[in-house]
Amino acid sequence: MIRAGIVGGAGYVGGELLRILLNHPWVELAFVHSRSQAGKPLTDVHKDLIGETKMCFSETILPDVDVLFLSMGHGASAEFLQKTNLKSGIKIIDLSRDFRLKTTNNDFVYGLPEAFKDQIKTASKVANPGCFATAIELALLPLAAGGLLQAEAHVSAITGSSGAGQAHSETTHFTWRSGNVSLYKPFKHQHLEEIKQTLQRVGSGEQPVIRFVPMRGSFTRGILAAVYTKAKLNLKEARSLYEAYFLQHPFVFVVEANPDVKQVVNTNKALLHLIKEDDQLLIISVIDNLIKGAAGQAVQNMNLMFGLAENVGLHLKPSAY
């Protein structure tokens, strides 16, 4: 059994990690740490887990674990690792953006299995990708890997309110979000840098500019990204390229029908649909921002790091209606 610990288990992503790990056949959940909820039952915060566990949030970090999931706010993971003396050999999977960008002192592997599976298998530290980044990277990986991403890519993508995290703000308040849509951070979203980095690593050298317009949607969870760029491939050639690229990746499916987010909500799946119009190739990509965009992908990475099939514990049913 893999002994796992979670640091920062009170948020939305922490709750999804709990749900998956409690039902994972090869995982024993050793502790769930939370400074704000220490001593309280997990079910006081994550009410969907009533009847699933009697564990309480821990005040301390138990040293005797095999893997540690860091599910804290951005900036908190780097601070935690600087201040905490962890036992040698503990594998770390970080779900913040603290270690996604490669720097001189950063020894984390970027945890997108569809691009870097072999590196993840031998890694001791993995930086989980962002949710928007995951959806957009999956849409463009086959083109970049084939040297076929040669023109600007334009992205319009919409996410549910859970993408903003558990802390309340004006734009997550029900009376503002319900029946409403808005743009935010156009062309300047924080996930752009990791998208560029990934496409450069998968492709050969400098890749074209990504023009990204993110939107807030009037729903709780899920991401739908519409990505289009010039391509010389016809639709049949593009479909063959995408099917071949994702053949060995169990969570990505190239589908014939135009997908919607309810097909992937509550799952680790990504659905891609291709449309060719004139010289433009449109790729529609849908994922659950909390699962494939966060907790599910983190468990997928854990499976790879411990030599398990990457879909173990991730056979999850979508909330299709």
Side-chain angles (χ1 to χ4, degrees), residues 30-290:
F31 72 89
V32 183
H33 176 267
S34 170
R35 283 180 294 188
S36 63
Q37 305 296 328
K40 296 180 182 178
L42 301 184
T43 52
D44 279 9
V45 175
H46 303 296
K47 294 179 170 52
D48 58 313
L49 296 178
I50 290 173
E52 303 295 320
T53 180
K54 294 183 179 179
M55 289 181 70
C56 292
F57 288 103
S58 170
E59 223 177 334
T60 57
I61 310 295
L62 301 182
D64 189 22
V65 293
D66 302 304
V67 61
L68 199 59
F69 292 90
L70 304 183
S71 182
M72 300 178 283
H74 301 303
S77 293
E79 182 182 358
F80 170 83
L81 290 176
Q82 284 174 353
K83 292 182 175 180
T84 309
N85 187 21
L86 295 175
K87 192 173 101 177
S88 175
I90 295 177
K91 296 182 188 295
I92 297 168
I93 300 172
D94 179 45
L95 289 100
S96 77
R97 64 170 175 255
D98 291 9
F99 302 103
R100 290 172 188 162
L101 298 181
K102 265 298 172 195
T103 60
T104 306
N105 299 320
N106 179 5
D107 56 352
F108 279 70
V109 170
Y110 188 70
L112 187 70
E114 291 77 13
F116 307 115
K117 185 183 290 191
D118 289 341
Q119 295 95 313
I120 294 166
K121 285 180 178 179
T122 59
S124 59
K125 298 177 184 176
V126 165
N128 225 52
C131 51
F132 267 135
T134 297
I136 295 165
E137 287 165 356
L138 292 177
L140 292 173
L141 279 177
L143 292 175
L148 300 169
L149 185 57
Q150 297 171 347
E152 274 190 6
H154 297 263
V155 183
S156 296
I158 188 165
T159 186
S161 58
S162 59
Q166 199 174 40
H168 296 297
S169 69
E170 180 187 351
T171 57
T172 59
H173 198 288
F174 176 79
T175 54
W176 187 91
R177 198 93 179 204
S178 180
N180 204 2
V181 177
S182 67
L183 300 181
Y184 73 109
K185 300 180 183 177
F187 307 129
K188 295 179 180 178
H189 194 277
Q190 62 271 16
H191 290 180
L192 269 172
E193 287 304 312
E194 63 181 282
I195 294 168
K196 285 192 241 176
Q197 175 182 265
T198 299
L199 295 178
Q200 283 174 7
R201 289 179 62 194
V202 170
S204 50
E206 196 69 25
Q207 296 295 301
V209 172
I210 310 293
R211 305 290 187 192
F212 176 29
V213 179
M215 289 175 275
R216 304 179 183 97
S218 180
F219 53 96
T220 301
R221 56 198 288 172
I223 285 175
L224 186 148
V227 184
Y228 64 94
T229 186
K230 281 184 181 179
K232 294 179 180 178
L233 302 170
N234 61 37
L235 183 58
K236 184 178 179 182
E237 291 167 335
R239 191 176 175 87
S240 295
L241 174 74
Y242 274 69
E243 287 175 343
Y245 185 93
F246 291 114
L247 187 62
Q248 302 302 319
H249 300 288
F251 292 110
V252 184
F253 301 91
V254 183
V255 296
E256 301 237 4
N258 191 352
D260 58 75
V261 293
K262 278 196 171 182
Q263 291 173 262
V264 297
V265 164
N266 197 50
T267 80
N268 203 50
K269 294 177 186 176
L271 303 186
L272 303 178
H273 176 63
L274 309 180
I275 297 171
K276 187 72 192 291
E277 186 71 27
D278 299 325
D279 63 350
Q280 298 292 317
L281 179 65
L282 169 65
I283 308 102
I284 299 168
S285 173
V286 292
I287 65 169
D288 184 322
N289 56 295
L290 295 179

